[in-house]
Amino acid sequence: MSCVSLLSLALLAFASAAHAGPPPVLLGSADGFAILGGSTITNTGNSVINGDLGLHPGTAVTGFPPGTVNGAMHITDAVAQQSKTDLATAYQDAAGRPFSTTPPPDVGGQTLTSGVYRTGSVPSLGLTGNLTLDAQNDPSAVFIFQIASTLTTATDSSVSLINGAQACNVYWQVGSSATLGTRTAFKGTILAALSISANDGAAVDGRLLARVGAVTLINDTIKRSQCAGATGPGTITGPGTTTGPGTTTGPGSGTSTGPGGGAGGDAAGPVVQLLGLPGIRKPPARKPGKRQPPASTICAARNFTARIRLRDGAGIRTVNVYLDGKRVKRTSLTRFSLRIKVVGLRVGPHSIRVVAHDRAGNRSVTTRRFDRCGIALGAPRFTG
């Protein structure tokens, strides 16, 4: 092969690598949240949250209603705790990326292409006017902003996306706190070390994720960004057949909540089947003139094996299984078994929860419950 050919291949490889840009920041279980806070979440007015809302370790969530949450609320539970752990990992990932260039202290009026932008001698970043993010016809183009101190946007400022850029691929890693000005039209996920405040009338296509402090809203609209045409939250109830956009019904006592619904693209979270768990005891036949007795849960006194099967058109990214809120397995397999040691559990109700993410960014949460009953002792047998 000639030197010219080798040089051409090298230049082509370099151009391809440069065009590829940085990979996205994986949010883990925090991906399903539009709002995630550490100490408090406070709303004033008619804010609308399209996505899940979570808080950990704080417990104070105020202003809903009149605010509306079109998703699940996880307040200091196992889901919120795991999401905060994954947020910390994502924050460190975003902060540790090698940077491409240093933006000006105020990015208003700028047009930026895919890359990693880190603040320089001025540790804060401002936005006055409009910032344009240009994907150059690459819908997977990723934009990461590493901000050492604060992020502040002025009144009526905005972020515009052109040539295929998507809000789901825009990340703002903030070293302290972020403040969105009145009527700011913002794009991307904010990962703040401390707190996030959105002033009156701000609109966010992305996420507001605060690690330690508060999230404060005033008449704002926060829409969890999704790639590949996915839409808002849907509901799944047990394994079964689809009956409408974002809703699946079928047998089983498990319930799932995750991004779903809508037509076009992969818009639903993984469908999860939990097999081999203690089931439901059917009631006896109703006698004439008598009320139908209710079904009852079959309690388990011995260890059993739960079989977990998942399916999703986009492919499974991660699966986390929790027993009574404690994670007992993490995998990316679509079929696996889990041995439940019932003998070591307390007598009473217990739950198994499966949190699954697909490669399109959708999530489902499936929960099944069972009872641990005491081991009955037989009557003593006398011999002699």
Side-chain angles (χ1 to χ4, degrees):
M1 183 178 291
S2 66
C3 293
V4 174
S5 298
L6 288 172
L7 178 59
S8 298
L9 288 174
L11 290 174
L12 180 61
F14 176 80
S16 299
H19 178 70
V25 177
L26 298 181
L27 300 175
S29 58
D31 178 85
F33 287 85
I35 300 288
L36 195 57
S39 59
T40 61
I41 297 176
T42 304
N43 170 64
T44 301
N46 298 313
S47 293
V48 177
I49 313 302
N50 292 315
D52 291 352
L53 179 150
L55 182 66
H56 193 281
T59 58
V61 176
T62 59
F64 298 96
T68 302
V69 178
N70 296 316
M73 295 183 67
H74 295 281
I75 312 304
T76 318
D77 62 6
V79 174
Q81 183 177 20
Q82 182 60 46
S83 297
K84 290 297 295 296
T85 299
D86 291 347
L87 171 58
T89 301
Y91 179 93
Q92 296 299 336
D93 176 23
R97 299 290 183 92
F99 72 99
S100 311
T101 187
T102 298
D106 193 303
V107 291
Q110 299 287 311
T111 298
L112 304 177
T113 57
S114 173
V116 180
Y117 298 86
R118 180 182 298 174
T119 55
S121 58
V122 178
S124 60
L125 186 69
L127 171 57
T128 304
N130 181 69
L131 165 66
T132 301
L133 302 180
D134 185 355
Q136 299 180 311
N137 299 317
D138 179 8
S140 63
V142 172
F143 304 80
I144 300 175
F145 294 87
Q146 299 170 336
I147 305 165
S149 181
T150 60
L151 169 65
T152 305
T153 71
T155 297
D156 294 319
S157 59
S158 60
V159 178
S160 298
L161 306 176
I162 63 172
N163 296 325
Q166 300 191 78
C168 60
N169 289 326
V170 181
Y171 306 89
W172 306 79
Q173 177 262 318
V174 182
S176 57
S177 298
T179 302
L180 302 181
T182 300
R183 296 184 300 277
T184 291
F186 196 79
K187 303 291 195 300
T189 296
I190 297 178
L191 305 99
L194 297 179
S195 61
I196 303 173
S197 297
N199 288 328
D200 194 2
V204 177
D205 183 1
R207 300 171 184 80
L208 303 182
L209 311 179
R211 293 185 60 187
V212 176
V215 176
T216 305
L217 308 173
I218 306 175
N219 290 313
D220 304 308
T221 301
I222 316 297
K223 181 185 72 172
R224 183 180 78 91
S225 60
Q226 295 176 269
C227 288
T231 58
T235 302
I236 298 174
T237 305
T241 57
T242 302
T243 60
T247 303
T248 303
T249 60
S253 59
T255 59
S256 300
T257 305
D266 182 0
V271 175
V272 179
Q273 286 183 299
L274 279 168
L275 306 172
L277 275 68
I280 301 296
R281 178 181 287 113
K282 294 182 179 180
R286 182 175 65 87
K287 296 180 180 180
K290 300 291 185 180
R291 179 179 297 179
Q292 176 75 20
S296 60
T297 302
I298 299 175
C299 64
R302 298 181 179 179
N303 299 340
F304 63 87
T305 299
R307 300 188 305 279
I308 302 173
R309 299 176 182 174
L310 303 97
R311 67 177 186 272
D312 188 274
I316 302 299
R317 190 176 71 191
T318 58
V319 183
N320 291 288
V321 183
Y322 301 86
L323 176 61
D324 296 333
K326 180 180 180 181
R327 188 168 69 182
V328 292
K329 189 174 184 64
R330 180 180 178 89
T331 184
S332 59
L333 297 175
T334 58
R335 290 175 177 241
F336 58 92
S337 296
L338 190 66
R339 186 68 172 168
I340 305 297
K341 297 182 179 180
V342 173
V343 174
L345 298 177
R346 58 173 172 75
V347 174
H350 297 274
S351 67
I352 296 176
R353 174 174 292 181
V354 180
V355 181
H357 290 80
D358 67 13
R359 296 187 182 278
N362 304 306
R363 182 185 70 142
S364 66
V365 181
T366 303
T367 302
R368 285 286 300 272
R369 294 174 174 82
F370 67 93
D371 286 339
R372 159 74 161 102
C373 53
I375 300 176
L377 298 177
R381 180 176 298 176
F382 298 95
T383 59

